[in-house]
Amino acid sequence: VDDPPPVVRPIRVKECEWCSWWTVCRPRIDDDDLSLRISKAPLDVRELQTLMSLGITTVAQLAEADVDELLPRYLPLTGHRDRPEQRLRQAALRARMLANGVELERVSVDAIGVPRAPVEVDFDIETADDGTVYLWGALVAGDDQSGAPRYVQFSRFEAQAGSREFELAEEFGRWLLALVERHPGLRVYHYSDYETVHLRRLAERSGSEVLAQVCGLIRTHFVDLFSYIRDNFVGVDGLGLKVVASRGAGFSWRDEEPGGLASQSWFSEAVGGPTPGAREAARTRVLQYNEDDVRATLAVRRWLTRLDEGAAVDGGAQPRPPRPPGPPVPRPRSRPGPSARGSHVDPQDRRGRGRRRQHHAAGHRPVRRHLRRHERGRHRVLPLGLDAGGGAGPELRRYPVLPHRP
């Protein structure tokens, strides 16, 4: 006797990774199932069940669906979530990207407007698994006649606790304050608020006047590149630095397994490795990884600037003139309510903590209208760096995966 059809249909959730029944459930799930393929800002079980009741279970089906037609039946059943319409539109956008083989997509038409400066510092820290900062890395460009960016690092490959961590932070702080004194218009670029959160935490805990002065530079000299990426792009695999730098800017890390969590294990090896050679190799690996991180930040910034310059040449949006160093000027929203955002940084990355900061001070308009125009099919997929209509105006652009350099 044939088995009757199953009463329930499995839906993948994060707990499936360690569930003993996963080997039973997985064969019953379509390879194109929404719960399998959309991993960033995924829809929850009730949202997926609602789509299932509307006949949509796969990425291909959601990619072809008319969201405006779905909403009257979808929204009454998903009121348990905040902003269910925005979540569905984001999921539909990612489904179309997956269906078309696109992994990073621009969703704005205005100039991105990343501010630049004659002297620029790209800044990145590395932390141990207990959260202490053992490495402060910076890439400095424009402060000498060579023109080549130079890497500067302040590190201690030993257990960092109490005064030792404060002393290392102050060493970096004194260097940065001296650089700003020589170049008052300098800008410091970082990716997400991970660095500034640690700076403020250390300044508060230590009571250091040096670190307090560095924190005073955050509003006037620091630029968070992630906020510009978040306002202008959506990524199928999130918007972490590794994703954006490799798939957008074409940058590649020297290490085959770059990542913040991996660097924590390298630090442990650098401190407690079994042999001097093993410890030295781990130190070298950490320093190269940190240097590549700041060089990746520079690559992303240059890429964003090239996009603006290309739009200006094509007769589209003009880049905004850089704002001089100083506190940001608040700008009212162009419409009430929260603006649509791209996905957040990969939660597997140690930089994926607390990234819901607003960034309207830089003059970016919310991108909700761009998402809606996109999903109604009012643009074409364009080759990288080209505009439709022979430069008649900026169009939404899709960026395919770029191969890693050997």
Side-chain angles (χ1 to χ4, degrees), residues 273-285:
T275 65
R279 293 192 292 272
E280 181 61 30
R283 294 187 188 107
T284 300
R285 191 176 189 183

Side-chain angles (χ1 to χ4, degrees), residues 76-146:
L77 301 176
T78 54
H80 67 292
R81 293 303 304 243
D82 182 36
R83 298 179 294 176
E85 177 182 345
Q86 178 183 325
R87 287 175 55 81
L88 178 59
R89 292 187 183 278
Q90 284 281 352
L93 174 57
R94 285 193 171 88
R96 282 188 294 277
M97 293 170 66
L98 285 167
N100 291 313
V102 177
E103 297 190 328
L104 182 64
E105 180 161 297
R106 185 171 178 180
V107 292
S108 65
V109 294
D110 286 343
I112 298 169
V114 175
R116 302 298 299 268
V119 178
E120 299 179 328
V121 175
D122 292 278
F123 170 42
D124 183 69
I125 63 173
E126 304 300 336
T127 57
D129 54 11
D130 62 358
T132 56
V133 183
Y134 67 88
L135 171 57
W136 302 75
L139 189 71
V140 186
D143 68 326
D144 57 26
Q145 299 299 320
S146 68

Side-chain angles (χ1 to χ4, degrees), residues 221-232:
H221 290 73
F222 282 48
V223 178
D224 183 358
L225 285 180
F226 173 68
S227 60
Y228 289 87
I229 293 293
R230 179 190 58 197
D231 283 352
N232 292 278

Side-chain angles (χ1 to χ4, degrees), residues 380 387-393:
R380 292 175 291 176
D387 285 331

